[in-house]
Amino acid sequence: MIPGGLAFGVFSAGDGRRRVGARVGNHVVDVARVLGDATFAQPSLNAFLAGGPEAWAAACVRLTRLIERKAAPLVPLDSVTLHLPFQVADYVDFYSSIEHATNIGRIFRPDSEPLLPNWRHLPVGYHGRAGTVVVSGTPIVRPSGQLGAGEFGPTRKLDIEAEVGFVVGVGSPLGAPISVDAIDEHVFGVVLLNDWSGRDIQSWEGQPLGPFLGKSFATSISPWVVPLEALASARVTPPRQNPAPLPYLAAREPWGLDLALEVSVNGVVVSRPQFAGMYWTPAQQLAHLTANGARTRTGDLFASGTVSGPTRDQCGSLIELTWDGRDRLAFPDGSIRTYLEDGDTVTITATAPGGVDLGEVTGTVAPAFRPVGSA
Amino acid sequence: MIPGGLAFGVFSAGDGRRRVGARVGNHVVDVARVLGDATFAQPSLNAFLAGGPEAWAAACVRLTRLIERKAAPLVPLDSVTLHLPFQVADYVDFYSSIEHATNIGRIFRPDSEPLLPNWRHLPVGYHGRAGTVVVSGTPIVRPSGQLGAGEFGPTRKLDIEAEVGFVVGVGSPLGAPISVDAIDEHVFGVVLLNDWSGRDIQSWEGQPLGPFLGKSFATSISPWVVPLEALASARVTPPRQNPAPLPYLAAREPWGLDLALEVSVNGVVVSRPQFAGMYWTPAQQLAHLTANGARTRTGDLFASGTVSGPTRDQCGSLIELTWDGRDRLAFPDGSIRTYLEDGDTVTITATAPGGVDLGEVTGTVAPAFRPVGSA
């Protein structure tokens, strides 16, 4: 038994060479060295991810045995640098919390039905920018953009979205939808994800084609990918769906994940979203994503959308926690926040039953850069 | 002078090995062999693209000289197989024809102002699926999806969008927006693009996060990338913009491209869209795309959106040509169409002043595959 569970990432130490590491508590194991396998002597997990479920399980078994026998040299985590763990192919973001979608509907369309007509029929989602997925710890420069007609400047509504991301290991060819029961054959594991958002940019640009620059400046992920297999004991029955899902979304044994998230701003917990309450499951998201025949590739990342629960202190975004700035968050040191200020640090952590630690995704807001052509 | 102009792609011949080719009329030149440069002995243009404007120009000059001297062996085009010319990093699709956006607004929101309030202020766009960008000639399997509440099946409104795509050679780092005057330092060239669309899937899924499965099943591009430099004599003054663009979108010398497109269905020309009339320019699109600090990478592809002109026979999509099926296209053989039927072939070609031939992007519709779990 590895404390916190095994997780995989990419690290470098003294020589700067990036290679695959396995997290063991507060230490990291150089996997290529310990297993003598060149698949791991690479600057990304992609080659390992492409190996499929048997290769994933075999590596975990061998590593666990060597670590338990103390036959694997452990390097202190604080002596290494962690990097983006995999090369992101396509990035899709869903919108699968019914509480989050309802809250956003209430905030933006107070006079209409908060959930749009399609929401209970399909997991609504969109493609994000794969090239700006960054590893936890990367500074988040406050983005500039159009805030309304004729107005350009740094966002005044810099927000977070606490999410869980799923990493595709084994892709699927064009024209071959992935069954809702086949997620384990394709998805390697789970990361924590912060989908940073500039709400003013997003709301001005977003019609009719959806989020673009309000999101594409940065999406942070945790450096450690936790194998789905390590979360077997975290599987729970997801909320009942009404209407019943269409056949391609109806799993034989539907499951969600009992992940307890915590969102902190400057070290103070502001929210505790519960992933177990998500309406649409990861298996449904993957089946939907490929229902039209779209292929998937090693390194595809799909995320849950903001994880929010039924009470205010379970919401995974500041737009919900402050009701778009109408309310304020008060901190013990006397400071208050609606949206993020420069210098603020946001950290999302999560744990799962069975003692599994999903690590953290963190980022600190840096001031906006000077726009092109400004004096 | 090369007839039709030089263009770059990836081909294979007898040995199946993919490598970079240059198109010379109806022939292809094996660039690695002729130039003795390993940059071209690769299955994608990406290494060449990353070289930047000086490397691009040098290769064109050397190749042209060798071809004119008849010192470059020419292989007949019909004896080779053409492949996806570059590895697509991120794919962004814009919506930059004012006529197209107005037509779509009139069709879907007949009782409101057709252009949404943001349209004249910024080039509206969204991220598409990079992994399903395919080379011209790839069969287009009719996608299935949700067509409305509780209804799943093959799209009944399979459409095309005739577009022009721009290929990024030299990327830009996170936090460094690309000036609207710097496009030539980053963009290598141009492809023709067909953004296949299932209109019923798209309209049911699209709120509030925009197009997703209605587009992500396939996007076809031409096999030949025409260098932007070869289109120097096609540069024209774009339409006047009202209101004047914000400073980050205001080029010192704005330019559009005088490309004459032709859209054919089963060999019959149904439309002649003129790219010169596009409201937002490629330089504005690239400046906007990076205004928030998003980085770009070699292989990024951004497309114009449907190219439509002020008259019906200049529209680049069937939804406009048939006003969402209200009208019909009649063909000389007596057949009629609203949207595409299985077996239909759509081909988009384009030419530019100076005798430049942009080649073609073509695709034939294959019947829907059987949904998962069907008998």
Side-chain angles (χ1 to χ4, degrees):
Chain A
M1 181 69 202
I2 309 292
L6 268 189
F8 292 85
V10 169
F11 77 105
S12 62
D15 64 0
R17 199 171 46 85
R18 297 184 187 197
R19 61 257 204 201
V20 172
R23 183 200 62 187
V24 182
N26 290 321
H27 291 80
V28 58
V29 167
D30 183 334
V31 181
R33 191 175 151 198
V34 168
L35 296 188
D37 182 341
T39 308
F40 301 95
Q42 308 216 11
S44 90
L45 289 173
N46 291 53
F48 173 48
L49 296 182
E54 288 185 27
W56 306 336
C60 288
V61 167
R62 288 182 61 201
L63 274 173
T64 302
R65 200 173 300 152
L66 291 165
I67 292 162
E68 287 176 342
R69 272 201 238 138
K70 305 203 187 303
L74 299 177
V75 183
L77 253 182
D78 57 14
S79 71
V80 307
T81 304
L82 299 174
H83 304 279
L84 192 67
F86 58 97
Q87 200 183 330
V88 183
D90 270 299
Y91 164 47
V92 165
D93 198 15
F94 285 96
Y95 191 56
S96 290
S97 156
I98 198 165
E99 289 84 5
H100 174 68
T102 303
N103 287 335
I104 295 297
R106 287 201 175 115
I107 291 168
F108 286 120
R109 301 179 304 272
D111 301 323
S112 339
E113 195 57 41
L115 278 187
L116 291 169
N118 58 11
W119 199 92
R120 285 176 174 274
H121 294 274
L122 53 79
V124 171
Y126 69 102
H127 285 91
R129 190 163 185 82
T132 48
V133 175
V134 297
V135 70
S136 175
T138 304
I140 304 302
V141 177
R142 180 180 296 274
S144 292
Q146 288 199 27
L147 311 177
E151 190 183 1
F152 184 93
T155 176
R156 289 189 283 259
K157 293 188 172 183
L158 183 58
D159 198 357
I160 58 150
E161 296 196 334
E163 307 194 14
V164 176
F166 295 83
V167 183
V168 172
V170 179
S172 53
L174 205 61
I178 295 176
S179 158
V180 68
D181 294 312
I183 183 171
D184 290 308
E185 297 162 34
H186 295 276
V187 167
F188 168 70
V190 172
V191 290
L192 296 176
L193 184 146
N194 186 346
D195 179 31
W196 305 89
S197 303
R199 298 296 181 193
D200 36 14
I201 298 172
Q202 184 186 348
S203 74
W204 171 238
E205 75 180 356
Q207 282 299 327
L209 302 182
F212 186 34
L213 300 187
K215 303 273 196 176
S216 67
F217 58 95
T219 305
S220 301
I221 61 171
S222 57
W224 298 110
V225 186
V226 174
L228 209 49
E229 206 195 5
L231 295 168
S233 61
R235 294 196 180 189
V236 290
T237 303
R240 196 183 153 80
Q241 297 182 325
N242 180 17
L246 281 168
Y248 81 102
L249 295 173
R252 279 194 296 265
E253 297 175 25
W255 54 267
L257 287 174
D258 182 15
L259 311 179
L261 277 64
E262 264 191 10
V263 181
S264 303
V265 176
N266 299 329
V268 178
V269 175
V270 297
S271 171
R272 291 190 168 84
Q274 301 302 311
F275 192 71
M278 296 296 279
Y279 189 90
W280 294 104
T281 70
Q284 290 177 315
Q285 291 166 346
L286 186 60
H288 185 63
L289 168 54
T290 58
N292 66 351
R295 74 173 174 130
T296 57
R297 294 178 290 171
T298 298
D300 274 359
L301 170 65
F302 62 97
S304 60
T306 309
V307 184
S308 290
T311 63
R312 184 76 74 96
D313 61 356
Q314 294 177 334
C315 287
S317 68
L318 293 172
I319 193 172
E320 293 167 275
L321 288 166
T322 71
W323 217 250
D324 194 25
R326 193 196 66 182
D327 305 331
R328 293 167 176 205
L329 292 178
F331 289 82
D333 67 357
S335 63
I336 53 165
R337 288 290 181 280
T338 52
Y339 287 100
L340 295 173
E341 298 189 0
D342 292 350
D344 283 349
T345 297
V346 178
T347 303
I348 304 164
T349 60
T351 54
V356 178
D357 177 5
L358 279 90
E360 68 172 31
V361 57
T362 187
T364 299
V365 179
F369 42 76
R370 232 169 38 181
V372 177
S374 70
Chain B
M1 181 69 202
I2 309 291
L6 268 188
F8 292 85
V10 169
F11 76 103
S12 63
D15 65 1
R17 198 170 46 85
R18 298 184 187 197
R19 61 256 206 205
V20 171
R23 184 199 63 187
V24 181
N26 290 322
H27 292 79
V28 58
V29 167
D30 183 334
V31 180
R33 190 174 152 198
V34 167
L35 296 188
D37 182 341
T39 307
F40 300 97
Q42 307 216 13
S44 89
L45 288 173
N46 290 53
F48 173 49
L49 297 182
E54 288 184 26
W56 306 336
C60 288
V61 167
R62 288 183 60 203
L63 274 173
T64 302
R65 200 173 299 152
L66 291 166
I67 292 161
E68 288 176 342
R69 269 202 239 139
K70 306 203 187 303
L74 299 177
V75 183
L77 254 182
D78 58 14
S79 71
V80 306
T81 304
L82 299 175
H83 303 279
L84 193 68
F86 58 98
Q87 200 183 330
V88 182
D90 270 300
Y91 164 46
V92 166
D93 198 15
F94 285 95
Y95 191 56
S96 290
S97 156
I98 198 166
E99 289 84 4
H100 174 68
T102 302
N103 287 335
I104 296 297
R106 288 202 174 115
I107 291 168
F108 286 120
R109 301 179 304 272
D111 301 322
S112 338
E113 195 58 41
L115 279 186
L116 291 167
N118 59 11
W119 200 91
R120 286 175 173 275
H121 294 274
L122 52 80
V124 170
Y126 70 102
H127 285 91
R129 189 162 185 83
T132 47
V133 175
V134 298
V135 70
S136 175
T138 305
I140 304 303
V141 176
R142 180 180 296 274
S144 292
Q146 289 199 26
L147 311 177
E151 190 183 2
F152 185 93
T155 176
R156 288 189 284 257
K157 293 188 172 181
L158 183 58
D159 199 358
I160 58 150
E161 296 196 333
E163 306 194 13
V164 176
F166 295 83
V167 183
V168 172
V170 179
S172 53
L174 207 60
I178 295 176
S179 158
V180 68
D181 295 312
I183 184 172
D184 290 309
E185 296 161 35
H186 295 276
V187 168
F188 168 69
V190 172
V191 290
L192 297 176
L193 184 147
N194 187 346
D195 179 31
W196 305 90
S197 303
R199 297 298 180 191
D200 36 15
I201 298 172
Q202 184 186 349
S203 74
W204 171 237
E205 75 180 353
Q207 282 299 327
L209 303 183
F212 186 35
L213 300 188
K215 303 273 195 176
S216 67
F217 57 97
T219 305
S220 301
I221 62 171
S222 56
W224 298 109
V225 186
V226 174
L228 210 49
E229 206 195 6
L231 295 168
S233 62
R235 294 197 179 189
V236 289
T237 304
R240 195 183 155 79
Q241 297 181 325
N242 180 18
L246 282 168
Y248 81 102
L249 295 173
R252 280 195 295 268
E253 297 176 26
W255 54 267
L257 287 174
D258 182 16
L259 311 179
L261 277 65
E262 265 191 10
V263 180
S264 303
V265 176
N266 299 329
V268 178
V269 175
V270 297
S271 171
R272 291 191 168 83
Q274 301 300 311
F275 192 71
M278 297 296 279
Y279 189 91
W280 294 105
T281 70
Q284 290 178 316
Q285 291 166 346
L286 186 61
H288 185 63
L289 168 54
T290 58
N292 66 350
R295 74 174 175 128
T296 56
R297 294 178 291 171
T298 298
D300 274 359
L301 170 65
F302 62 97
S304 59
T306 309
V307 184
S308 290
T311 63
R312 184 75 75 96
D313 61 357
Q314 294 178 335
C315 287
S317 68
L318 293 172
I319 193 173
E320 293 168 275
L321 288 167
T322 70
W323 218 250
D324 194 24
R326 192 196 66 182
D327 305 331
R328 293 169 174 202
L329 293 177
F331 289 82
D333 67 357
S335 63
I336 53 166
R337 287 291 181 280
T338 52
Y339 287 100
L340 295 173
E341 299 189 0
D342 292 350
D344 284 348
T345 296
V346 178
T347 303
I348 304 165
T349 60
T351 55
V356 178
D357 177 4
L358 279 90
E360 68 172 30
V361 57
T362 187
T364 299
V365 179
F369 41 78
R370 232 168 39 180
V372 177
S374 70

